[in-house]
Amino acid sequence: MKFAAVATLFASLLSIATAGNSLEALMVETNETVIETDFSTPSKKLDRDLYTMRQATRWEIIDGVLSGLPSSAETQAARAHHKGLEPRLSVPVTPAESATRFSIRFLEGEETAIVPFVEFGHHVIRLRFSLTEGVSLLADYESMKVAEDRTYLYEPGKWIHLFAELKGDEFVIQIQDGPTLYAKHPVISRPAPSGGNGLGVAGPTGGKVEIDDLTIWSVKENAQTSWKETKTEFPAFEPVQVREKPVKG
């Protein structure tokens, strides 16, 4: 193969490998930028005003991404519960009504009936990923399934580009080169019932999570003028109860 052809092929492959998140908002009009980072500056200590490392899991910025690991073996042995078996992180500065664009990938570890996932408000609205069951939106302590796409199976180690929007009791999340899931549920407009406000992630058990190119915006009062028409194009889904909601108190 001639050098020019090799160079062209290499450039093409590089372009594919580094293609980023090109998603744009469908529902909201973005307002002020709350966070915008490509994690290009290495740091073993995260800004605690922006990020919460949940369950003593370990996070640092390395090689241009925010990388998360489970808690240490010593921590896990010392705890009766909330052991940090999978990397967990929340971003409490996420506004109650917001738009969030970021990329994430899950590496190694084991899928369970709970993880891996991305959520907004702990136990409020959660996108769960499965290697065999696709993706599903779970609301209200994961007691209700409010949307799903069983054809989209994530690939461990492959970047997933997402754009999530929260406004009132509506939530929509786009997966680049995949489905868009939409839900309308009263719980979406309520504060998180337990810790972990805002954007939250959890990786596979015993595995690793990497996050890149994170931008979070507040949103304007009015939705996009096209939103009423746009949401009619989403597949209809009848919410179904998938487990009993925990009784607190």
Side-chain angles (χ1 to χ4, degrees):
M1 186 180 292
K2 294 182 179 179
F3 176 79
V6 172
T8 299
L9 176 60
F10 177 77
S12 177
L13 292 174
L14 182 63
S15 175
I16 293 172
T18 59
N21 191 331
S22 60
L23 296 169
E24 299 290 343
L26 296 175
M27 174 172 61
V28 303
E29 296 282 359
T30 58
N31 193 15
E32 296 181 354
T33 302
V34 177
I35 293 177
E36 184 174 17
T37 178
D38 61 3
F39 300 108
S40 58
T41 303
S43 175
K44 291 189 175 182
K45 292 186 177 180
L46 299 185
D47 186 336
R48 296 300 182 94
D49 292 332
L50 300 179
Y51 307 100
T52 301
M53 297 177 284
R54 294 179 58 77
Q55 298 186 13
T57 58
R58 298 167 292 169
W59 292 81
E60 62 180 300
I61 299 171
I62 184 170
D63 294 333
V65 298
L66 177 56
S67 180
L69 292 171
S71 64
S72 67
E74 293 78 12
T75 296
Q76 293 178 20
R79 292 189 171 192
H81 51 78
H82 292 86
K83 292 174 174 285
L85 300 177
E86 51 277 318
R88 292 174 178 260
L89 182 82
S90 63
V91 188
V93 295
T94 310
E97 295 191 334
S98 61
T100 303
R101 181 167 58 201
F102 66 107
S103 299
I104 189 168
R105 63 177 176 176
F106 307 111
L107 303 93
E108 306 166 2
E110 298 293 332
E111 174 188 319
T112 72
I114 298 173
V115 298
F117 66 73
V118 168
E119 67 180 357
F120 286 82
H122 196 38
H123 298 308
V124 175
I125 186 74
R126 176 177 295 182
L127 176 67
R128 178 179 175 264
F129 296 86
S130 172
L131 294 167
T132 58
E133 301 174 5
V135 286
S136 54
L137 275 184
L138 304 170
D140 204 8
Y141 278 99
E142 299 76 66
S143 65
M144 299 295 296
K145 182 188 293 185
V146 291
E148 70 175 352
D149 186 300
R150 300 183 68 87
T151 67
Y152 179 83
L153 307 178
Y154 83 95
E155 299 178 38
K158 183 177 180 180
W159 285 104
I160 305 166
H161 305 302
L162 301 171
F163 198 118
E165 302 166 69
L166 266 168
K167 186 165 182 58
D169 61 357
E170 294 183 286
F171 177 79
V172 60
I173 187 163
Q174 302 172 69
I175 303 175
Q176 190 163 297
D177 300 319
T180 295
L181 299 184
Y182 166 74
K184 182 179 175 67
H185 193 283
V187 74
I188 295 173
S189 63
R190 300 173 193 161
S194 60
N197 293 317
L199 168 64
V201 304
T205 296
K208 181 178 181 180
V209 176
E210 291 183 343
I211 299 171
D212 200 6
D213 297 325
L214 171 65
T215 305
I216 300 176
W217 298 269
S218 63
V219 301
K220 296 180 181 179
E221 181 178 356
N222 295 323
Q224 294 187 26
T225 56
S226 58
W227 174 236
K228 287 185 178 180
E229 181 178 350
T230 298
K231 64 182 177 181
T232 64
E233 300 173 1
F234 303 142
F237 185 87
E238 187 67 29
V240 56
Q241 185 170 355
V242 292
R243 72 165 189 152
E244 292 293 326
K245 180 179 175 181
V247 177
K248 302 295 179 179

